[in-house]
C-alpha cells in the first residue's frame, strides 16, 4: 500500500501531497522536509529506490519535478516506478505535454486524476483510457453546469 | 497562464500568479496573509456567498495549505459545498476534506451525512466521489455508517464497473480501520469471485481487498488460490494485444499480475490440488521464458514492467521454497541482472538474491556469483547498492567461503562509507565468529576490525571477543601475544586498549616468559596508553593492573606507585579514585593467597547467543536471516560478566578483611557496583534491565471508559471500552514508543472469578513494530455481581531484555450500571424500602483536599448511575440511581453522597436489594472525592 505521494520541484518546493495514512500535520511536514532533502541530495545515476525509515521510497525525476512515493516493504519497486510513469502520462495527456506550471495552476485537476488512478493507497485503474474517460465525464458535468449558469444569468433558463 | 478545461476559476489563477510573482519569501507571506484575511472576512461577512465563490475561496485555502501554511478555518464552508447540487462545487468540497480534514473532526457527522446522500445519487459520478472520499479518509465512524451499504454495492449485479472498483478499495480502507465490517458467510465466496470479473479494473481493485482479507483470515478465503492461479495463467499466456488498454508497454496487465502473485504469497504452495500447483508452476515458467525473449520495446517502461512481474514471481518462488529447479532458475536470472546497466535492476537483484541465499535449494547457486557481488560491494557508485551487496555477502557466507568474504569485507571497510561501517563491523564480527574453524583467525579478524574501524566497533563486539578468548583455552596465548603486538603501534584505538588491557590482565602470564614481553614491558606498554584514554578505559586498566600484581608480584611496587599517583588516588572521578584506593589497599593488605583467590582468572562465560547478532537484528529488523545462528540460546546477553569474580559475593565481609573505609562521597552501594562490575554501566548509557512493573491508578477509570491505562518509556497501553447491559467490549491499544520492535508480546489474564465476570481475551500479534500501535479486543460478561476487578499482565521482550507489566483492568462492577431516572417521591419511597441491615452500606471518609462539588459531580456522572437533581432537600447532597445488570439478575441501586464542608468529610450511603452490591459500590466510591 502506498503511504503517501509527494511532488516537488528541484528547488524543493512541494507541488502536491497525497497522504493515505493519517499522520498529524506536524509529522507530515517533518517527513516532507526530510524526504525532499534526502532525495534532492541524490545523484542522477543512483538507484531510484531507497530504504528510508520504515518505508521504501521510490522516486523519479521528470524535467524539473520529482515524483516520490513511499511504499510498504512488500510493495513492488519497479511497478511503483511505472505507476509514477502512468500518472505522468495521464497528466501529459490531459494537459497536453504537461509542465510544472500546469500542476501549479491546476493542482485540483492533478488531484482528481490521481484519485482515479490510486485510491486509498491502492492502485485502482491502470487503463489510461478508462481514467481519461472518467476525468472527461467530470469535465463535461462541470462544463454543462457552467453553461447552465451562464444561461441562467442572462435569463434564458 | 495555461488554458484550463472544465470550469476554471479566474480568481484562483490570479492569486496563484500573484504568489509566483512575489520576489521574496516575506512578500509571499504578506500576500498570503492578505488573502487569508480577505477570505476570512468573506466567510464571516453578512453577504451570503454563492456556491462559486465558496468554491473559489476553499480552493485558495487549499493552495495556501499546499504552500506549507496552516489552515484553521474554512472547513465548514467546504462541508457546505458537499451538499451543493453542482458537481464542480461538490468535488472541490470533497477534495478539501480529503486533504485537510482530520478524521476525528467535529464535522465528521455532517460529512458522513453528505456522503450518505451522494451514495444514493443516481449519477455514478457522484457516487464515486463519495466512495473516493471514504477510501481516502475512511475512519471507524465511517465504517459504522457505511459498513452494510458498501459490501452490497461491491457485489451487486446492478453496480457499474467504475463504482465497483471504488467500492472494493473503499471497503478495504474501512476493513483496515474496523476489521469486523466484512460480513463473512456467503459474502466470502461472492468477494472471492470478483477475481473472475470480466472487467480487469474491477479485478485489479478487488485483488487488493482480497489480499488484505486473506491476511486476516487465510482459511476462510482459501478458495481464492485456485481463482488467482487461473486468472494469472490467462494473463501470462495472453498476447499483448489481448488485453488492450491493460497492456502496458507490451506487457499484459503487469499490475494485476503482481497483485495476484502477492496474493499467492499468503499461502503455502497448493499441495492438495496438484492441478492448481502444476498450473502455477507453468505460469512461473512462462514468466521466466518471457524474460529471456528479446525485448519488444527499447523503452525502460517495457523492461521495468516485465521485470516487476519477474521479481514478484521470484518472491513467490522463494516464499514457496519448494521447487529446486525454479529456485535455481531464479538465481541464474538474477545473476544476469547483477551486471545489467540499470542500477535499479542491480539493486533489486542483490536484494532478491539475499533471500535466495537462505534457501537450502539455492544457497549453492547464489554462491556462484560471489565474485560479481564482491565487485558490486567495491565498485558500485550508489551506496545503497553497495549496502545490498554487503547484505548479500553476509547471507551467502558459509564455512567454505567465510575466510574470503570476511577478508574482502575487511579490505573494503577501510574505504567504506561512514553510513554502512558500523553495520559492516557487526557483520564481520558475526561471520568470523560463526564460521571460525580456527579461533586464532577469529582473534586476528577482530583485532583488524578494531584497527581499521575502531570507532565503529561497538561494545558488544569487543565484549564478545573477550568472552570467546576466555572460553577457549587454545587461543589465549595467541590472543595475548597478538594484542601485545597490536598495542605496540604508536597510535592505537581505545577499543584496542580495552581488549588489550583485559586480555593481558587475564593471560599476560602466558607470554611473560619472552623477555620482549616481560611483566614490566607489558605493564609499561599498557600504562603508556593510560593518559590518553577515557575514564571508563582507565577504570578497566586499573583492574588490569591489580590483576597483573597477582600474576607478577615483581611489579607490585611499580603498580602501587601508579595507584598512589595523585591523578588516580585523588582523581576527580569517583570511580577511578575508588578503584585506585581499594586496589592499593588490596595489594598492601592481602596475602598472596587472598590475592590469588580474589583475582583469580575469569571462569568461562555461559555459552549464549552473540549479543552482536541482537544488535544487528535491531538495526535491520526483518533483514537478518534467522538461521544465521545454528544454536540459539534463550538467554539474552547484554553485558559481560564481571571481570573480578568472588568479590561480589564477599563484598560485605571484604570490608573487614581489607580494612578499607568507604571513600568520601561514595555510598556503600556504589562500592559494591564498582568492584563488581568493572566493565559495567557506569560510563555507558543506562541499559534497560528486566523489570516487572506494577501499575496503575485504576481508580480513575471508575469514572471514565477511555484513557491511558499504563505507560512507561517503552510502551503505552490505552483503553477504550463500551458497555451495554451486562456486556462490555474493551479495546486495548498497545503502542510502541521506541525505535525498535517489541517482541514476544504476551498478555495474560489474572482473574479467578470467571464465573462471576467472564472476561475473554482475543489473541494478538506478538510483535509490536517500532512506533506502531496494535489493538487487542476483550469482551466481558457480568454474570453475577463481583468484587474488585480483573488484572492482566503483559510480558514482552525489548532489546533482548524481558519485561513484564501488570495492571488492573477497568472492569469494575459499576460499568454494568444502567442509569435510572426517577422523581423524588419514588426515590425516597424506595430508599425507605431498602432500609434493612442487609441492604445498605455506609462509609464516612475524609475529603481529598478541600471539598469540590463540581469535581464530585463530574466524577459521579461518569460513574454510571443517574444523578438526580433537585430531589434531596439539601442542594449540596448528591443522589443517584441505577440498575446493575448481571446475567443472573438486575439489582436496583440507590446512592447518596453527603458532603460536610466544615468537617471536610463525606458520608456515603448505598442501598440496593443485594448486600454484596451495596457493599461493593460503597467500597468503590469511598475515598474518591
Amino acid at each position: 500500500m502506498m503511504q503517501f505521494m509527494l511532488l516537488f520541484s528541484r528547488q524543493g518546493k512541494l507541488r502536491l501531497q497525497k497522504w493515505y495514512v493519517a499522520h498529524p500535520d506536524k509529522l507530515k511536514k517533518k517527513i516532507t522536509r526530510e524526504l525532499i532533502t534526502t532525495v534532492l541530495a541524490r545523484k542522477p545515476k543512483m538507484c531510484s529506490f531507497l530504504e528510508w525509515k520504515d518505508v521504501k521510497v521510490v522516486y523519479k525525476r521528470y524535467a524539473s519535478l520529482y515524483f516520490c512515493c513511499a511504499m510498504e516493504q512488500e510493495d513492488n519497486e519497479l511497478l511503483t516506478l511505472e505507476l509514477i510513469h502512468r500518472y505522468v502520462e495521464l497528466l501529459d495527456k490531459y494537459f497536453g505535454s504537461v509542465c510544472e506550471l500546469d500542476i501549479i495552476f491546476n493542482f485540483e485537476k492533478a488531484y482528481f486524476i490521481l484519485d482515479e488512478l490510486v485510491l486509498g493507497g491502492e492502485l485502482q485503474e491502470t487503463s489510461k483510457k478508462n481514467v481519461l474517460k472518467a476525468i472527461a465525464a467530470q469535465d463535461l458535468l462541470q462544463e454543462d453546469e457552467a453553461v447552465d449558469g451562464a444561461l441562467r444569468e442572462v435569463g434564458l433558463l | 497562464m495555461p488554458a484550463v478545461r472544465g470550469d476554471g476559476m479566474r480568481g484562483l489563477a490570479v492569486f496563484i500568479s500573484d504568489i509566483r510573482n512575489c520576489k521574496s519569501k516575506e512578500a509571499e507571506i504578506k500576500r498570503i496573509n492578505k488573502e487569508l484575511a480577505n477570505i476570512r472576512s468573506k466567510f464571516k461577512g453578512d453577504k451570503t456567498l454563492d456556491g462559486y465563490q465558496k468554491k473559489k475561496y476553499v480552493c485558495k485555502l487549499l493552495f495556501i495549505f499546499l504552500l506549507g501554511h496552516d489552515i484553521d478555518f474554512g472547513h465548514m464552508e467546504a462541508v457546505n459545498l458537499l451538499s451543493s447540487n453542482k458537481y464542480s462545487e461538490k468535488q472541490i468540497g470533497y477534495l478539501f476534506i480529503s486533504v485537510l480534514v482530520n478524521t476525528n473532526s467535529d464535522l465528521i457527522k455532517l460529512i458522513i451525512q453528505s456522503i450518505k446522500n451522494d451514495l444514493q445519487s443516481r449519477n455514478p459520478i457522484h457516487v464515486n466521489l463519495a466512495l473516493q472520499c471514504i477510501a481516502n479518509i475512511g475512519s471507524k465512524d465511517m465504517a459504522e455508517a457505511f459498513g452494510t451499504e458498501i459490501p452490497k454495492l461491491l457485489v451487486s449485479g446492478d453496480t457499474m464497473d467504475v463504482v465497483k472498483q471504488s467500492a472494493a478499495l473503499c471497503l478495504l480502507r474501512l476493513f483496515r480501520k474496523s476489521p469486523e465490517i466484512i460480513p463473512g458467510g456467503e459474502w466470502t465466496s461472492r468477494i472471492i469471485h470478483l477475481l473472475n470479473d470480466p472487467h480487469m479494473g474491477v479485478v485489479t481493485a478487488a485483488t487488493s481487498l482480497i489480499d488484505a482479507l486473506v491476511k486476516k483470515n487465510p482459511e476462510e478465503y482459501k478458495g481464492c488460490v485456485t481463482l488467482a492461479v487461473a486468472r494469472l495463467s490467462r494473463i501470462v499466456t495472453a498476447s499483448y494485444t489481448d488485453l488492450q488498454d491493460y497492456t502496458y508497454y507490451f506487457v499484459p496487465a503487469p499490475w494485476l499480475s503482481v497483485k495476484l502473485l502477492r496474493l499467492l504469497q499468503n499461502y503455502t504452495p497448493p499441495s492438495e490440488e496438484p492441478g492448481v500447483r502444476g498450473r502455477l508452476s507453468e505460469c512461473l515458467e512462462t514468466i521466466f521464458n518471457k524474460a529471456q525473449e528479446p525485448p519488444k520495446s527499447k523503452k525502460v517502461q517495457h523492461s521495468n514492467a516485465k521485470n516487476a512481474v519477474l521479481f514478484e514471481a521470484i518472491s513467490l518462488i522463494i516464499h514457496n521454497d519448494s521447487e529446486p529447479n525454479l529456485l535455481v532458475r531464479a538465481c541464474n536470472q538474477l545473476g544476469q541482472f547483477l551486471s545489467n546497466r540499470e542500477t535499479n535492476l542491480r539493486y533489486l537483484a542483490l536484494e532478491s538474491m539475499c533471500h535466495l541465499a537462505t534457501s537450502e535449494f539455492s544457497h549453492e547457486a547464489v554462491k556462484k556469483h560471489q565474485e560479481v557481488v564482491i565487485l558490486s560491494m567495491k565498485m558500485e557508485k550508489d551506496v545503497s547498492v553497495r549496502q545490498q551487496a554487503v547484505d548479500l555477502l553476509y547471507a551467502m557466507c558459509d564455512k567454505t567461503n567465510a575466510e574470503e568474504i570476511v577478508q574482502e569485507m575487511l579490505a573494503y571497510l577501510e574505504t567504506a562509507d561512514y553510513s554502512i561501517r558500523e553495520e559492516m563491523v557487526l557483520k564481520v564480527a558475526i561471520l568470523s565468529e560463526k564460521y571460525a574453524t580456527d579461533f586464532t583467525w577469529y582473534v586476528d579478524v577482530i583485532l583488524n576490525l578494531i584497527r581499521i574501524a575502531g570507532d565503529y566497533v561497538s561494545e558488544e563486539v569487543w565484549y564478545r571477543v573477550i568472552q570467546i578468548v576466555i572460553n577457549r583455552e587454545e587461543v589465549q596465548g595467541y590472543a595475548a601475544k597478538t594484542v601485545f603486538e597490536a598495542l605496540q603501534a604508536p597510535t592505537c584505538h581505545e577499543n584496542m586498549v580495552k581488549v588489550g588491557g583485559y586480555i593481558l590482565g587475564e593471560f599476560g602470564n602466558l607470554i611473560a616468559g619472552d623477555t620482549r614481553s616481560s611483566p614490566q614491558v607489558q605493564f609499561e606498554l599498557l600504562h603508556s596508553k593510560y593518559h590518553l584514554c577515557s575514564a571508563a578505559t582507565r577504570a578497566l586498566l586499573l583492574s588490569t593492573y591489580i590483576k597483573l600484581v597477582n600474576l607478577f608480584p615483581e611489579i607490585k611496587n611499580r603498580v602501587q606507585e601508579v595507584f598512589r599517583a595523585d591523578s588516580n588516588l585523588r582523581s576527580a572521578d569517583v570511580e577511578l579514585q575508588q578503584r585506585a584506593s581499594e586496589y592499593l589497599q588490596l595489594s598492601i593488605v592481602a596475602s598472596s593467597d587472598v590475592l590469588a583467590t580474589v583475582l583469580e582468572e575469569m571462569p568461562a562465560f555461559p555459552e549464549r547467543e552473540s549479543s552482536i547478532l541482537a544488535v544487528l537484528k535491531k538495526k535491520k529488523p526483518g533483514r537478518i536471516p534467522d538461521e544465521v545462528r545454528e544454536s540459539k540460546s534463550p538467554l539474552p546477553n547484554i553485558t559481560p560478566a564481571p571481570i573480578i569474580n568472588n568479590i561480589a559475593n564477599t563484598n560485605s565481609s571484604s570490608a573487614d578483611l581489607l580494612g578499607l573505609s568507604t571513600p568520601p562521597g561514595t555510598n556503600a552501594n556504589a562500592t559494591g557496583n564498582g568492584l563488581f562490575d568493572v566493565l559495567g554501566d557506569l560510563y555507558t548509557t543506562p541499559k534497560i534491565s528486566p523489570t516487572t512493573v506494577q501499575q496503575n491508578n485504576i481508580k480513575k477509570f471508575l469514572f471514565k471508559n477511555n484513557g491511558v491505562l499504563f505507560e512507561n518509556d517503552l510502551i503505552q497501553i490505552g483503553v477504550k471500552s463500551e458497555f451495554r447491559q451486562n456486556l462490555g467490549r474493551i479495546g486495548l491499544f498497545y503502542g510502541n514508543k521506541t525505535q525498535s520492535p517489541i517482541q514476544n508480546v504476551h498478555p495474560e489474564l489474572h482473574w479467578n472469578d470467571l464465573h462471576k465476570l467472564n472476561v475473554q481475551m482475543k489473541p494478538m500479534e506478538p510483535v509490536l513494530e517500532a512506533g506502531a500501535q496494535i489493538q487487542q479486543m476483550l469482551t466481558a460478561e457480568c454474570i453475577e455481581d463481583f468484587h474488585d476487578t480483573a488484572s492482566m499482565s503483559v510480558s514482552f521482550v525489548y532489546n533482548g531484555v524481558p519485561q513484564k507489566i501488570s495492571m488492573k483492568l477497568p472492569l469494575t462492577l459499576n460499568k454494568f450500571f444502567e442509569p435510572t431516572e426517577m422523581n423524588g417521591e419514588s426515590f425516597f419511597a424506595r430508599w425507605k424500602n431498602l432500609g434493612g441491615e442487609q441492604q445498605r452500606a455506609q462509609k464516612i471518609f475524609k475529603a481529598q483536599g478541600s471539598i469540590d462539588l463540581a469535581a464530585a459531580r463530574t466524577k459521579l456522572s461518569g460513574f454510571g448511575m443517574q444523578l438526580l437533581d433537585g430531589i434531596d432537600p439539601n442542594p449540596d447532597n448528591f443522589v443517584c440511581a441505577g440498575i446493575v445488570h448481571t446475567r443472573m439478575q438486575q439489582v436496583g441501586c440507590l446512592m447518596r453522597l453527603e458532603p460536610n464542608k466544615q468537617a471536610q468529610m463525606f458520608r456515603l450511603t448505598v442501598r440496593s436489594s443485594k448486600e454484596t452490591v451495596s457493599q461493593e459500590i460503597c467500597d468503590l466510591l469511598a475515598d474518591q472525592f
Side-chain angles (χ1 to χ4, degrees):
Chain A
M1 176 191 156
M2 191 188 293
Q3 301 211 338
F4 58 86
M5 186 187 215
L6 302 177
L7 266 65
F8 51 88
S9 71
R10 219 169 29 175
Q11 290 76 33
K13 283 220 174 213
L14 190 60
R15 294 300 181 206
L16 206 72
Q17 50 171 324
K18 183 82 187 178
W19 297 80
Y20 298 104
V21 286
H23 286 317
D25 284 344
K26 233 177 150 177
L27 182 60
K28 285 187 193 168
K29 277 190 182 166
K30 182 167 174 269
I31 292 176
T32 308
R33 207 173 44 234
E34 288 180 19
L35 189 56
I36 291 179
T37 319
T38 310
V39 170
L40 286 179
R42 290 175 66 86
K43 300 194 182 74
K45 278 281 164 198
M46 285 188 166
C47 102
S48 315
F49 321 125
L50 65 148
E51 304 265 337
W52 191 74
K53 314 224 158 146
D54 55 346
V55 295
K56 203 143 76 175
V57 171
V58 177
Y59 71 94
K60 187 162 180 178
R61 184 178 152 183
Y62 288 86
S64 60
L65 259 194
Y66 283 85
F67 290 69
C68 180
C69 298
M71 311 298 291
E72 282 168 0
Q73 285 308 326
E74 76 260 15
D75 286 312
N76 191 304
E77 293 95 338
L78 284 174
L79 262 194
T80 307
L81 214 47
E82 293 318 302
L83 174 76
I84 293 176
H85 187 73
R86 174 107 301 179
Y87 183 44
V88 174
E89 283 182 347
L90 287 165
L91 293 171
D92 198 62
K93 194 93 187 165
Y94 182 80
F95 289 108
S97 58
V98 66
C99 66
E100 196 182 333
L101 273 186
D102 291 317
I103 295 172
I104 298 173
F105 278 94
N106 303 289
F107 65 91
E108 78 282 11
K109 287 286 179 214
Y111 270 117
F112 299 149
I113 296 172
L114 184 59
D115 275 344
E116 294 295 331
L117 181 67
V118 177
L119 195 51
E122 302 285 351
L123 188 72
Q124 175 179 220
E125 176 56 87
T126 65
S127 157
K128 199 153 68 171
K129 219 159 65 190
N130 288 353
V131 172
L132 291 171
K133 213 160 74 188
I135 299 291
Q138 295 176 8
D139 281 347
L140 198 67
L141 262 183
Q142 295 188 357
E143 276 159 20
D144 284 354
E145 284 167 1
V147 172
D148 274 5
L151 289 176
R152 204 163 276 140
E153 228 161 72
V154 293
L156 286 175
L157 206 78
Chain B
M1 224 180 297
V4 188
R5 267 191 268 172
D7 168 31
M9 284 167 280
R10 217 187 126 64
L12 174 67
V14 170
F15 173 58
I16 296 176
S17 298
D18 278 3
I19 295 286
R20 290 185 51 78
N21 291 334
C22 285
K23 294 274 182 291
S24 65
K25 190 84 197 156
E26 291 71 36
E28 185 185 309
I29 291 173
K30 212 172 144 198
R31 178 69 184 87
I32 286 169
N33 285 337
K34 186 179 149 205
E35 193 63 38
L36 283 173
N38 173 38
I39 299 172
R40 216 185 285 265
S41 74
K42 287 280 197 287
F43 282 166
K44 278 200 181 140
D46 313 325
K47 262 188 32 198
T48 43
L49 300 175
D50 65 19
Y52 171 79
Q53 285 169 311
K54 263 190 217 159
K55 177 180 83 167
K56 185 178 73 185
Y57 293 131
V58 164
C59 233
K60 282 182 178 176
L61 286 178
L62 251 175
F63 183 76
I64 294 170
F65 174 76
L66 286 178
L67 288 175
H69 298 264
D70 295 324
I71 298 296
D72 54 6
F73 69 102
H75 301 71
M76 196 59 216
E77 285 73 13
V79 172
N80 283 339
L81 284 177
L82 297 185
S83 46
S84 162
N85 51 11
K86 283 199 179 147
Y87 179 76
S88 58
E89 288 162 16
K90 201 186 267 297
Q91 197 182 20
I92 294 294
Y94 274 118
L95 177 62
F96 184 91
I97 281 161
S98 65
V99 174
L100 260 156
V101 171
N102 238 313
T103 44
N104 50 18
S105 152
D106 308 334
L107 298 171
I108 208 76
K109 281 213 174 74
L110 289 172
I111 295 171
I112 287 178
Q113 192 49 48
S114 293
I115 292 177
K116 245 188 194 142
N117 297 340
D118 284 329
L119 282 180
Q120 305 298 335
S121 164
R122 295 170 60 189
N123 187 339
I125 297 184
H126 287 229
V127 178
N128 250 5
L129 254 191
L131 287 174
Q132 285 173 356
C133 180
I134 305 174
N136 281 330
I137 67 162
S139 59
K140 268 197 154 17
D141 292 325
M142 291 194 180
E144 231 163 74
F146 306 113
T148 49
E149 226 153 309
I150 292 176
K152 281 187 208 145
L153 266 181
L154 178 60
V155 296
S156 154
D158 310 333
T159 313
M160 287 178 61
D161 291 329
V162 280
V163 176
K164 256 190 203 178
Q165 278 170 277
S166 303
L169 294 176
C170 197
L171 196 55
L172 171 57
R173 168 82 187 203
L174 296 182
F175 170 72
R176 283 185 176 140
K177 294 286 158 193
S178 187
E180 65 278 0
I181 70 157
I182 299 290
E186 54 152 344
W187 291 87
T188 304
S189 120
R190 297 173 76 174
I191 291 177
I192 292 175
H193 274 87
L194 288 170
L195 288 173
N196 270 344
D197 200 284
H199 190 281
M200 295 282 277
V202 172
V203 189
T204 307
T207 310
S208 295
L209 171 66
I210 295 169
D211 187 58
L213 296 175
V214 161
K215 284 201 167 70
K216 172 96 177 156
N217 195 346
E219 206 42 48
E220 166 128 16
Y221 290 88
K222 225 174 159 190
C224 72
V225 173
T226 312
L227 294 179
V229 171
R231 189 91 212 196
L232 182 67
S233 164
R234 269 179 281 157
I235 296 172
V236 296
T237 53
S239 90
Y240 65 85
T241 48
D242 290 352
L243 300 174
Q244 295 162 359
D245 213 30
Y246 289 91
T247 293
Y248 180 82
Y249 290 86
F250 302 101
V251 182
W255 280 281
L256 181 53
S257 308
V258 164
K259 281 188 183 188
L260 291 168
L261 287 163
R262 270 245 70 85
L263 177 62
L264 292 170
Q265 286 171 60
N266 293 308
Y267 292 96
T268 52
S271 50
E272 53 276 35
E273 289 167 87
V276 179
R277 192 181 172 142
R279 205 159 174 198
L280 177 60
S281 294
E282 271 170 37
C283 286
L284 297 170
E285 298 274 359
T286 312
I287 292 171
F288 277 126
N289 293 341
K290 285 201 172 172
Q292 293 300 333
E293 284 171 14
K296 293 196 174 61
S297 154
K298 284 211 171 73
K299 289 231 160 80
V300 66
Q301 282 77 26
H302 172 66
S303 71
N304 275 355
K306 195 159 97 172
N307 292 328
V309 178
L310 180 64
F311 274 110
E312 207 59 62
I314 292 176
S315 289
L316 177 60
I317 291 166
I318 294 170
H319 167 84
N320 286 348
D321 199 18
S322 61
E323 307 236 15
N325 62 325
L326 282 177
L327 282 159
V328 171
R329 199 163 171 192
C331 189
N332 296 338
Q333 181 63 56
L334 293 176
Q336 290 180 17
F337 287 152
L338 288 183
S339 26
N340 194 291
R341 42 183 281 273
E342 280 281 322
T343 313
N344 289 343
L345 277 185
R346 295 197 302 275
Y347 174 94
L348 294 174
L350 288 166
E351 187 185 39
S352 189
M353 247 189 196
C354 215
H355 299 292
L356 276 177
T358 59
S359 164
E360 54 167 327
F361 300 118
S362 48
H363 184 82
E364 286 304 315
V366 171
K367 276 166 66 185
K368 291 197 188 115
H369 303 285
Q370 183 176 321
E371 246 171 83
V372 190
V373 181
I374 288 174
L375 273 181
S376 301
M377 173 178 76
K378 292 178 171 167
M379 312 298 283
E380 282 287 352
K381 289 208 180 74
D382 183 348
V383 58
S384 42
V385 186
R386 291 197 291 272
Q387 163 91 63
Q388 292 289 1
V390 171
D391 287 355
L392 176 53
L393 285 175
Y394 178 77
M396 68 160 72
C397 194
D398 61 20
K399 275 202 168 61
T400 64
N401 56 15
E403 229 164 289
E404 193 185 344
I405 288 181
V406 166
Q407 203 46 52
E408 292 288 355
M409 283 172 116
L410 267 180
Y412 172 60
L413 201 49
E414 303 211 32
T415 53
D417 307 71
Y418 296 111
S419 59
I420 61 173
R421 278 194 189 184
E422 187 182 350
E423 199 185 308
M424 282 195 71
V425 166
L426 295 175
K427 289 191 158 142
V428 170
I430 291 167
L431 292 177
S432 56
E433 176 189 339
K434 189 179 170 201
Y435 298 113
T437 41
D438 170 3
F439 275 87
T440 59
W441 173 70
Y442 167 75
V443 170
D444 283 340
V445 169
I446 301 295
L447 294 185
N448 265 327
L449 262 187
I450 296 177
R451 227 192 327 261
I452 295 168
D455 282 345
Y456 297 90
V457 172
S458 60
E459 310 245 286
E460 285 80 5
V461 173
W462 74 262
Y463 289 171
R464 189 68 186 163
V465 66
I466 282 167
Q467 287 174 5
I468 285 175
V469 169
I470 284 173
N471 287 9
R472 295 187 185 266
E473 209 172 311
E474 74 271 16
V475 75
Q476 290 163 354
Y478 181 79
K481 181 167 157 285
T482 322
V483 291
F484 179 77
E485 280 162 9
L487 285 173
Q488 283 173 325
T491 56
C492 59
H493 195 273
E494 189 161 335
N495 280 333
M496 188 68 89
V497 179
K498 289 180 184 163
V499 175
Y502 202 117
I503 288 182
L504 291 181
E506 294 293 321
F507 310 113
N509 56 329
L510 299 178
I511 56 168
D514 190 325
T515 48
R516 285 166 298 175
S517 52
S518 69
Q520 283 83 0
V521 178
Q522 283 185 40
F523 175 76
E524 293 304 337
L525 179 62
L526 282 172
H527 199 55
S528 68
K529 316 284 181 196
Y530 187 84
H531 302 282
L532 301 170
C533 291
S534 68
T537 308
R538 288 189 197 188
L540 184 149
L541 283 177
L542 289 179
S543 298
T544 300
Y545 297 168
I546 189 72
K547 288 211 134 194
L548 290 176
V549 168
N550 175 44
L551 295 176
F552 316 117
E554 64 267 36
I555 60 167
K556 186 167 162 179
N557 290 336
R558 172 69 182 111
V559 173
Q560 285 178 340
E561 205 177 289
V562 171
F563 287 149
R564 270 196 201 100
D566 276 358
S567 58
N568 289 326
L569 204 53
R570 297 187 181 178
S571 168
D573 187 296
V574 171
E575 181 64 24
L576 290 182
Q577 189 189 77
Q578 186 181 354
R579 285 191 193 206
S581 62
E582 288 180 7
Y583 292 157
L584 177 61
Q585 287 302 315
L586 184 65
S587 68
I588 294 169
V589 178
S591 69
S592 56
D593 284 354
V594 172
L595 262 190
T597 315
V598 174
L599 301 170
E600 198 182 349
E601 195 177 297
M602 285 294 295
F605 288 90
E607 284 297 335
R608 47 194 164 186
E609 181 179 352
S610 163
S611 54
I612 309 172
L613 195 61
V615 177
L616 186 61
K617 278 183 181 159
K618 200 180 97 189
K619 277 180 78 79
K620 290 195 137 183
R623 294 195 59 179
I624 307 305
D626 273 340
E627 61 271 46
V628 166
R629 295 284 311 170
E630 274 134 353
S631 61
K632 269 193 201 152
S633 146
L635 268 182
N637 167 23
I638 299 282
T639 44
I643 184 172
I644 299 181
N645 43 315
N646 297 338
I647 284 199
N649 303 336
T650 57
N651 192 30
S652 54
S653 56
S654 69
D656 299 334
L657 179 72
L658 303 175
L660 284 178
S661 59
T662 309
T666 319
N667 62 32
N669 195 14
T671 312
N673 276 338
L675 282 172
F676 177 67
D677 197 359
V678 174
L679 294 175
D681 296 341
L682 276 159
Y683 293 93
T684 52
T685 48
K687 299 215 163 78
I688 293 139
S689 54
T691 45
T692 304
V693 194
Q694 168 68 44
Q695 173 267 317
N696 54 337
N697 183 13
I698 193 63
K699 289 287 189 182
K700 70 178 183 198
F701 284 96
L702 278 175
F703 307 108
K704 59 179 191 176
N705 287 335
N706 305 333
V708 175
L709 199 53
F710 175 84
E711 181 159 15
N712 64 12
D713 289 337
L714 306 176
I715 198 168
Q716 185 194 57
I717 303 175
V719 66
K720 262 191 187 172
S721 42
E722 38 177 323
F723 296 87
R724 206 155 293 163
Q725 307 262 318
N726 68 325
L727 301 175
R729 220 161 65 115
I730 300 96
L732 294 180
F733 298 82
Y734 297 80
N736 180 347
K737 291 169 68 180
T738 71
Q739 299 301 314
S740 349
I742 289 180
Q743 271 141 342
N744 300 352
V745 182
H746 177 66
E748 207 181 333
L749 189 72
H750 305 283
W751 178 237
N752 293 325
D753 289 340
L754 278 172
H755 58 282
K756 291 185 173 173
L757 174 71
N758 182 12
V759 185
Q760 295 296 330
M761 203 176 240
K762 298 268 157 63
M764 66 181 275
E765 296 284 328
V767 179
L768 189 48
E769 292 301 348
Q773 191 188 59
I774 46 179
Q775 182 186 357
Q776 183 193 26
M777 292 305 299
L778 275 71
T779 55
E781 184 192 6
C782 178
I783 300 166
E784 194 182 337
D785 66 286
F786 57 94
H787 174 62
D788 201 1
T789 180
S791 322
M792 68 180 287
S793 64
V794 183
S795 52
F796 56 89
V797 177
Y798 176 72
N799 250 351
V801 184
Q803 310 272 336
K804 188 170 182 180
I805 52 187
S806 51
M807 58 202 180
K808 292 206 160 190
L809 285 169
L811 277 173
T812 38
L813 185 59
N814 63 301
K815 299 295 177 195
F816 302 95
F817 259 132
E818 183 193 355
T820 323
E821 196 67 77
M822 58 179 75
N823 59 27
E825 202 181 316
S826 58
F827 180 85
F828 283 108
R830 280 166 217 236
W831 185 260
K832 258 170 116 178
N833 276 338
L834 294 170
E837 227 13 276
Q838 309 293 311
Q839 292 160 326
R840 31 169 234 225
Q842 189 171 73
K843 276 204 173 157
I844 294 169
F845 54 91
K846 227 180 150 34
Q848 296 176 320
S850 65
I851 289 185
D852 181 351
L853 293 178
R857 165 172 289 274
T858 317
K859 280 188 173 178
L860 280 177
S861 54
F863 187 66
M865 301 176 89
Q866 182 69 45
L867 246 174
L868 304 170
D869 283 319
I871 285 185
D872 202 285
N874 179 347
D876 282 351
N877 289 353
F878 298 101
V879 292
C880 301
I883 297 171
V884 175
H885 284 268
T886 73
R887 196 207 280 168
M888 314 291 265
Q889 64 183 133
Q890 300 186 354
V891 184
C893 192
L894 306 174
M895 191 274 286
R896 192 174 189 196
L897 180 69
E898 301 159 84
N900 180 334
K901 281 183 179 161
Q902 274 94 45
Q904 291 290 312
M905 304 281 276
F906 281 102
R907 181 166 71 179
L908 170 70
T909 317
V910 182
R911 297 186 179 191
S912 78
S913 47
K914 197 168 178 196
E915 186 186 12
T916 47
V917 172
S918 309
Q919 199 55 55
E920 174 66 8
I921 297 300
C922 192
D923 287 349
L924 288 173
L925 272 181
D927 299 310
Q928 291 306 312
F929 299 94

